[in-house]
Amino acid sequence: MSGSGVVIGADGLARCPWGLEAETLADYRVYHDTEWGHAVHGDDALFERISLEAFQSGLSWLTILRRREGFRAAFAGFSIEKVAAFTEEDAERLLADPGIIRNRAKIAATLANARAAAELAPGELDALVWSHAPDAATRPAPRSAADVPAVTPESTALAKALKKQGFRFVGPTTAYALMQACGLVNDHLAGCHARKG
């Protein structure tokens, strides 16, 4: 990401720097405009985001976006209850599924994370994740991509809390990406049309 502020698209709307890519990649534009930074609640919805962020580790987010429906089909719509019941045969099926990223460690982590999430009471995963949202009043709108951190004390604490519950592939950087994607923090740049508040 460059250090520049918002960019103006062909549609006249100001977007975050990755909006430069959004001009040619509709998947990014739609995700940026309608989903990234919007509040996500619900255990299954958050489990999906935790899983996708883990799969994204080391890859382009576009790769994940373009396979999202494949992931949803392969992982039973990210139903915690259903994925927690997956067997070793399911893990082998997933390793052969061309609709997802076929990474053994990430698949194993997703199954382990489903089992960890299933051990929590209904709503507890949502509460755990959202308890790490920083006070929005203490976070001024970033003016450039250089103002957006990769890790924060809150993301470090969230990663630690998830790991304590048995989650895997949830380091501080992945936890911060989750916080951005799920609206715990608003990292749309000042002037971006998608920034609310």
Side-chain angles (χ1 to χ4, degrees), residues 184-197:
L184 281 76
V185 296
N186 185 353
D187 278 344
H188 284 286
L189 300 186
C192 175
H193 85 93
R195 185 175 178 87
K196 310 282 191 267

Side-chain angles (χ1 to χ4, degrees), residues 115-137:
R115 293 180 190 115
E119 292 294 318
L120 301 173
E124 193 174 351
L125 178 59
D126 187 293
L128 184 151
V129 169
W130 278 90
S131 72
H132 292 84
D135 180 358

